[in-house]
Amino acid sequence: QVQLVESGGGSVQAGGSLRLSCVASGSTYSNSYSLAWFRQAPGKEREGVAGIQTDGATVYADSVKGRFTISKDSAKHTLFLQMNSLKPEDTAMYYCAADPRGLRLDRAPRPGDFLHWGQGTQVTVSS
């Protein structure tokens, strides 16, 4: 069993920054899991934002490259997403996800790649 709890969402003006966190726990969770951030805006499909492998290798969606940074603190079982230069189109519910399999680095993460999901944290960017 794996539990994921996100935090750090909120409302910010365009150009601002937010840092999301996700704490992982559970009897089957380990630092060998691949981790990722997804987002879903109203009426849209869930999309992968960024992913990070066990060895720290990362992959990003084109829409956030250069603005968002994914990182993790393995000792604290915590995943982060630093979001800078936020745009109104970044408004969405943000979810963290974990999976015991390896992460593909040739494309942005896809929902089907991940088994475990958090409940989400809302990010709202106003113009």
Side-chain angles (χ1 to χ4, degrees):
Q1 194 77 338
V2 174
Q3 291 82 41
L4 303 170
V5 180
E6 302 97 334
S7 62
S11 296
V12 65
Q13 289 191 326
S17 298
L18 283 173
R19 189 192 196 202
L20 306 183
S21 300
C22 173
V23 178
S25 63
S27 59
T28 59
Y29 180 77
S30 76
N31 287 329
S32 66
Y33 275 50
S34 297
L35 302 169
W37 288 98
F38 289 79
R39 66 186 181 187
Q40 188 167 18
K44 294 188 177 181
E45 293 185 354
R46 190 169 297 190
E47 63 173 349
V49 174
I52 187 166
Q53 274 191 158
T54 302
D55 63 0
T58 58
V59 63
Y60 295 90
D62 288 343
S63 58
V64 305
K65 282 180 181 177
R67 300 189 297 123
F68 291 10
T69 302
I70 189 171
S71 62
K72 62 178 180 175
D73 183 336
S74 296
K76 297 182 178 179
H77 292 180
T78 302
L79 177 70
F80 302 102
L81 185 68
Q82 178 66 43
M83 305 185 295
N84 299 328
S85 303
L86 282 162
K87 304 176 181 179
E89 51 264 43
D90 294 319
T91 295
M93 185 72 78
Y94 282 71
Y95 301 89
C96 73
D99 196 275
R101 295 166 293 181
L103 178 70
R104 289 185 59 168
L105 297 177
D106 60 336
R107 56 163 172 77
R110 294 176 181 170
D113 297 339
F114 288 82
L115 182 61
H116 305 287
W117 294 85
Q119 294 299 306
T121 185
Q122 178 68 37
V123 172
T124 303
V125 184
S126 59
S127 58

